[in-house]
């Protein structure tokens, strides 16, 4: 009797165990697979696109915002008159007839016809009540200031999966922050497999992108672009760029370059125009580089402001090369202040010899020459310096007046910014704050990169640059009543192992007011045709912008 | 005693069931109204977006500069500056 009970008990327990195991198999081992299978019977998984974050200027004005647009789709099975529908679609949406025809002839319930369709176009199409055509809301980039700061912004294109992706500028650098995170939803079908549009069940909601608040001051950007554009036309240059930075914080206040592109219609422009030349292009800076070398020599004690140049009475021979001044004028026993004032190449050669290669390279490193500044823009180029053992006497000499050495404009602007900021070099940056999707604002704090020279050296160098503005070759265009520190630059362009005899890169770098700088600015023109000199092309643009800035910041004249 | 409790429970259950029927009946048509409100919200959101777009376009410096140009405004050539501040009061 007991044996039979035990047998029955064992049998039933085994049966339960088998059922439990099978249940475990279906619910745990195969659970996800069956869930997906079930899901596919009543719906399909669709992606919910997040709203891309805005890009705003320092006054909180969105220069890259989002606007409502529409995805126009078709259900080919519902389209009765295909020819008529194709004609309407091609006329209203400007889509290719062949592509519209191919879409409508597909054996599908849903085919996309056009993305980012404007509300007005969608309304016109909707009014025609075309059977089988539907609309889905989406967002596209909108630029209230049109192509202003295009190089700085970059643009939004598509990645290999057809999703929005930022390229170049801030859009490229901060793409992950701006784009947010996609969500997933289930599109429920009816018994015939047709989607029920009102039945979308979100499974994981999308997370909208964060917005960026730039340090760019909209009026400054506007003025810089206006003056630069006028200057390029006036002086017949092939291109030009200008950057304005707050030397105390590293905040970029404006960054402009021409020719430019329209971020909304980027596909209509050559890809060469997308790179921001201010951070991506290398060039030989010419005499605008002299303040970097001079302040290095002053700081190291190699020379003093009143040191007389013993080799400046004529051309100097270095390593088999004869080095002349830009205008072939020579000043015997000239001092260091006058070397900068006259932009004297022979004086700079003397300084470089007193400084020596090791010290010069050490100062270059501290000034950030030959390294990345770390600016938060996509595509910063890093012009590396030659290794120490490849520096010959002639290299040292030419580098002292900014030839045979290449920099990016942002690198030079940042280096001169250190002189303006009592010897402290700040990290240049564009984004001053990040606003998360829930409204939390995270500020980007200024960062000191290095202290290449002492405050005392920076002060002496500033006075030398003020003297160069007031008495140098660009004094005709200076702003009377304002103390502005600056230096002109006229650099030859290297082509295939020699310098182009017919064209130059002209530039002007400086800051103002010299005693309490509100801005440091660099203006560069490529191959101006009216004059080959920086003092006659880049300098007037610099001072025109400086005048606008003094007015904008309410800084009254009151100096020399 | 037990019977009384049981009766109270049954009566309560019946009242609650009847109440549920009444409330369900009253709100059965609210779904349509809710749907209408949702649609209205969506339309207003879209309208708000397009008004924002218009506002930003009008407030852009490009637009302001172009409108100012049409009205005849030009860049000022010189600025007038008071070189020494005027005293607040004279004794």
């Amino acid at each position: 009797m007991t044996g039979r009970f035990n047998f029955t008990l064992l049998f039933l327990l085994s049966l339960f165990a088998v059922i439990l195991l099978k249940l475990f198999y279906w619910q745990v081992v195969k659970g996800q697979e069956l869930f997906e299978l079930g899901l596919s019977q009543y719906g399909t998984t669709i992606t919910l696109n997040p709203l891309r974050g805005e890009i705003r200027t320092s006054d909180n004005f969105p220069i890259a915002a989002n606007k409502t647009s529409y995805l126009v789709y078709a259900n080919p099975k519902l389209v009765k008159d295909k020819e008529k529908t194709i004609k309407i679609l091609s006329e209203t949406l400007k889509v290719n007839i062949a592509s519209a025809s191919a879409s409508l002839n597909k054996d599908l319930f849903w085919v996309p016809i056009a993305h980012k369709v404007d509300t007005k176009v969608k309304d016109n199409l909707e009014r025609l009540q075309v059977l089988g055509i539907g609309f889905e809301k989406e967002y596209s980039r909108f630029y209230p200031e049109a192509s202003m700061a295009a190089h700085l912004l970059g643009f939004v294109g598509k990645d290999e999966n057809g999703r929005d992706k930022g390229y170049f500028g801030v859009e490229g650098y901060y793409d992950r922050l701006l784009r947010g995170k996609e969500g997933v939803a289930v599109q429920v079908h009816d018994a015939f497999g047709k989607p029920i549009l009102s039945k979308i069940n979100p499974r994981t909601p999308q997370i909208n992108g964060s917005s960026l608040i730039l340090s760019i001051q909209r009026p400054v950007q506007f003025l810089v672009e206006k003056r630069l554009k006028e200057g390029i036309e006036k002086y017949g240059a092939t291109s030009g760029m200008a950057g304005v930075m707050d030397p105390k914080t590293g905040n970029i206040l404006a960054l402009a370059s021409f020719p430019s592109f329209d971020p909304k219609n980027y596909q209509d422009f050559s890809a060469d125009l997308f790179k921001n030349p201010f951070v991506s292009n290398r060039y030989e800076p010419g005499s605008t580089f002299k303040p970097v070398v001079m302040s290095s020599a002053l700081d190291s004690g190699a020379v003093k402001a009143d040191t007389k140049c013993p080799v400046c009475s004529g051309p100097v021979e270095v390593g088999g090369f004869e080095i002349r001044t830009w205008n072939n004028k020579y000043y015997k026993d000239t001092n260091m202040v006058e070397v900068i004032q006259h932009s004297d190449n022979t004086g700079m050669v003397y300084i470089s010899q007193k400084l020596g290669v090791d010290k010069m390279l050490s100062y270059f490193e501290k000034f950030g020459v030959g390294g990345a500044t770390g600016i938060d823009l996509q595509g910063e180029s890093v012009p590396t310096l030659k290794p120490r053992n490849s520096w010959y006497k002639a290299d040292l000499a030419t580098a002292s007046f900014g030839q045979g050495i290449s920099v990016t404009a942002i690198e030079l602007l940042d280096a001169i910014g250190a002189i303006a900021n009592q010897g402290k070099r700040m990290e240049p940056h564009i984004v001053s704050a990040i606003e998360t999707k829930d409204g939390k604002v995270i500020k980007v704090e200024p960062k000191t990169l290095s202290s290449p020279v002492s405050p005392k050296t920076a002060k002496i160098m500033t006075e030398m640059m003020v003297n160069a503005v007031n008495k140098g070759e660009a004094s005709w265009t200076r702003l009377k009543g304002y103390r502005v520190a600056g230096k002109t630059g006229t650099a030859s362009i290297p082509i295939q192992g020699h310098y182009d005899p017919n064209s130059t890169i002209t530039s002007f770098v400086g800051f103002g007011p010299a005693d309490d700088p509100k801005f440091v600015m660099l203006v560069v023109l490529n191959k101006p045709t009216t004059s080959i000199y920086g003092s006659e092309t880049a300098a007037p643009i610099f001072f025109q912008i400086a005048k606008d800035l003094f007015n904008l910041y309410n800084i009254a004249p009151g100096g020399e | 005693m037990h019977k009384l409790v049981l009766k109270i429970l049954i009566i309560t259950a019946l009242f609650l069931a009847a109440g549920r029927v009444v409330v369900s009946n009253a709100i059965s048509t609210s779904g349509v109204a809710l749907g209408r409100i949702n649609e209205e919200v969506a339309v207003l959101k879209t309208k708000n977006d397009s008004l924002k777009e218009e506002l930003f376009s009008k407030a852009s410096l490009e637009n302001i500069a172009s409108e100012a140009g049409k009205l005849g405004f030009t860049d000022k050539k010189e600025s007038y500056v008071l070189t020494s501040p005027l005293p607040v009061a004279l004794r």
Side-chain angles (χ1 to χ4, degrees):
Chain A
M1 190 68 179
T2 321
R4 272 199 289 165
F5 270 128
N6 285 343
F7 175 76
T8 314
L9 186 67
L10 200 67
F11 175 72
L12 287 173
L13 282 175
S14 314
L15 213 62
F16 277 123
V18 168
I19 291 168
L20 275 174
L21 277 172
K22 197 67 185 169
L23 280 174
F24 181 81
Y25 176 74
W26 288 124
Q27 293 186 0
V28 179
V29 180
K30 284 272 184 181
Q32 190 58 34
E33 195 182 314
L34 290 171
F35 176 75
E36 300 290 340
L37 191 70
L39 203 66
S40 68
Q41 284 174 354
Y42 70 88
T44 45
T45 306
I46 57 166
T47 307
L48 300 174
N49 290 319
L51 188 63
R52 198 171 172 84
E54 289 184 344
I55 302 173
R56 306 190 200 121
T57 45
S58 60
D59 57 349
N60 226 18
F61 185 88
I63 47 169
N66 298 301
K67 71 170 188 175
T68 309
S69 59
Y70 292 88
L71 156 69
V72 180
Y73 65 87
N75 180 346
K77 294 188 191 297
L78 285 181
V79 178
K80 292 266 159 51
D81 188 344
K82 282 193 180 162
E83 268 184 38
K84 192 181 162 195
T85 309
I86 290 165
K87 194 171 173 245
I88 290 171
L89 290 177
S90 68
E91 278 170 8
T92 50
L93 302 176
K94 310 279 178 236
V95 291
N96 190 291
I97 292 179
S99 106
S101 169
S103 299
L104 293 188
N105 282 314
K106 280 181 183 162
D107 185 26
L108 292 169
F109 288 104
W110 192 93
V111 280
I113 302 291
H115 277 277
K116 318 274 184 203
V117 173
D118 267 359
T119 311
K120 275 183 191 166
V121 178
K122 174 248 175 188
D123 289 344
N124 288 342
L125 187 58
E126 204 170 23
R127 242 174 266 134
L128 298 171
Q129 293 185 323
V130 188
L131 204 65
I133 299 297
F135 307 93
E136 224 172 82
K137 196 173 167 182
E138 59 181 9
Y139 289 95
S140 56
R141 266 304 195 221
F142 160 60
Y143 302 92
E145 292 283 4
S147 58
M148 182 201 264
H151 277 123
L152 205 140
L153 289 175
F155 60 85
V156 179
K158 297 278 176 201
D159 66 7
E160 61 277 11
N161 299 315
R163 283 181 291 219
D164 283 352
K165 188 183 174 193
Y167 294 91
F168 300 95
V170 174
E171 294 273 22
Y173 193 90
Y174 287 100
D175 184 51
R176 286 178 68 147
L177 260 180
L178 287 165
R179 76 156 81 157
K181 207 175 163 194
E182 286 176 341
V184 178
V186 178
Q187 170 79 71
V188 181
H189 289 159
D190 66 9
F192 298 100
K194 294 175 191 166
I196 303 168
L197 290 180
S198 60
K199 281 280 176 192
I200 296 177
N201 304 324
R203 280 169 64 192
T204 49
Q206 73 270 44
I207 299 167
N208 291 336
S210 301
S211 292
L212 304 176
I213 298 153
L214 308 184
S215 56
I216 296 294
Q217 293 181 352
R218 202 158 51 109
V220 179
Q221 180 72 28
F222 180 79
L223 289 167
V224 169
E225 289 198 4
K226 186 173 178 242
R227 299 302 182 199
L228 181 65
K229 210 183 281 179
E230 288 168 357
I232 290 171
E233 282 168 19
K234 188 174 177 185
Y235 303 115
T238 55
S239 60
M241 54 187 172
V244 184
M245 186 178 87
D246 177 352
K248 291 170 189 164
T249 58
N251 282 348
I252 299 289
L253 308 177
L255 213 59
S257 41
F258 293 105
S260 186
F261 65 95
D262 177 6
K264 191 184 169 195
N265 302 307
Y266 66 90
Q267 61 281 357
D268 298 340
F269 294 82
S270 159
D272 300 338
L273 294 176
F274 297 154
K275 274 199 306 180
N276 185 345
F278 208 88
V279 298
S280 299
N281 287 7
R282 303 161 186 202
Y283 74 107
E284 294 195 9
S287 300
T288 48
F289 196 65
K290 285 174 183 165
V292 173
V293 178
M294 178 63 87
S295 52
S296 304
L298 290 169
D299 195 69
S300 69
V303 292
K304 286 182 178 165
D306 56 0
T307 302
K308 293 210 180 332
C309 172
V311 300
C312 293
S313 53
V316 182
E317 199 188 294
V318 181
F321 296 96
E322 193 178 62
I323 291 168
R324 296 171 172 273
T325 57
W326 63 279
N327 54 1
N328 228 9
K329 279 186 185 169
Y330 299 90
Y331 305 90
K332 197 183 170 195
D333 289 337
T334 184
N335 64 31
M336 295 302 115
V337 178
E338 289 161 341
V339 164
I340 290 294
Q341 181 188 320
H342 298 135
S343 200
D344 191 334
N345 291 346
T346 55
M348 293 310 296
V349 172
Y350 169 70
I351 289 164
S352 69
Q353 287 166 345
K354 293 280 282 178
L355 194 61
V357 178
D358 290 323
K359 274 190 184 166
M360 187 137 103
L361 290 180
S362 154
Y363 274 100
F364 281 179
E365 197 188 330
K366 285 193 255 179
F367 270 110
V369 176
T373 61
I375 190 168
D376 45 349
L377 284 176
Q378 204 177 51
E380 184 184 7
S381 162
V382 187
T384 46
L385 294 174
K386 284 192 288 188
R388 166 68 184 87
N389 53 11
S390 304
W391 279 80
Y392 298 104
K393 278 182 180 175
D395 298 319
L396 183 70
T398 56
S400 71
F401 50 89
Q403 295 277 186
I405 187 169
S406 66
V407 295
T408 59
I410 190 67
E411 216 176 317
L412 183 65
L413 182 72
D414 198 34
I416 300 298
I419 297 168
N421 189 32
Q422 299 183 335
K424 272 195 288 182
R425 187 168 70 93
M426 307 304 289
E427 184 182 77
H429 56 90
I430 298 283
V431 172
S432 59
I434 297 162
E435 190 184 299
T436 60
K437 59 174 177 39
D438 34 18
K440 199 175 151 196
V441 177
I442 303 156
K443 286 199 170 174
V444 177
E445 295 300 328
K447 190 174 156 192
T448 307
L449 291 176
S450 60
S451 299
V453 293
S454 67
K456 190 182 161 198
T457 306
K459 177 81 185 141
I460 296 168
M461 194 63 236
T462 300
E463 290 307 320
M464 284 184 172
M465 289 169 78
V466 170
N467 179 69
V469 165
N470 293 345
K471 296 180 183 167
E473 71 266 33
S475 62
W476 67 275
T477 185
R478 78 181 178 102
L479 296 175
K480 289 193 177 69
Y482 289 101
R483 268 170 56 80
V484 175
K487 184 72 196 79
T488 54
T490 305
S492 301
I493 305 170
I495 40 162
Q496 294 167 344
H498 69 280
Y499 284 107
D500 185 345
N502 304 316
S503 48
T504 55
I505 291 176
T506 65
S507 52
F508 195 94
V509 69
F511 51 89
D515 303 312
D516 181 20
K518 294 282 181 287
F519 63 85
V520 53
M521 186 190 343
L522 171 64
V523 176
V524 183
L525 291 184
N526 192 22
K527 301 178 184 174
T529 49
T530 57
S531 163
I532 58 161
Y533 298 115
S535 57
E536 289 164 10
T537 53
I541 301 174
F542 176 97
F543 285 107
Q544 182 59 61
I545 298 171
K547 187 181 167 191
D548 291 336
L549 293 182
F550 286 135
N551 281 337
L552 188 73
Y553 294 146
N554 289 324
I555 300 169
E560 297 144 67
Chain B
M1 185 64 188
H2 285 297
K3 275 187 179 175
L4 185 70
V5 173
L6 196 69
K7 271 182 191 170
I8 290 168
L9 281 174
I10 292 168
I11 290 166
T12 312
L14 285 172
F15 264 110
L16 285 173
R20 191 179 162 186
V21 170
V22 172
V23 172
S24 301
N25 185 46
I27 62 165
S28 61
T29 52
S30 307
V32 180
L34 190 68
R36 223 179 10 245
I37 290 167
N38 275 338
E39 269 173 34
E40 219 167 289
V41 168
V43 169
L44 287 172
K45 264 189 186 167
T46 310
K47 206 178 269 184
N48 192 31
D49 283 348
S50 76
L51 284 171
K52 232 194 242 178
E53 194 185 316
E54 202 178 325
L55 176 76
F56 290 148
S57 297
K58 294 229 159 115
S60 73
L61 292 179
E62 292 282 345
N63 183 58
I64 293 169
S66 128
E67 290 298 318
K70 280 182 209 161
L71 292 170
F73 286 92
T74 53
D75 285 353
K76 58 177 177 184
K77 297 276 180 252
E78 291 301 327
S79 303
Y80 295 98
V81 178
L82 297 171
T83 46
S84 53
L86 289 173
V88 176
L90 293 168
R91 260 161 66 107

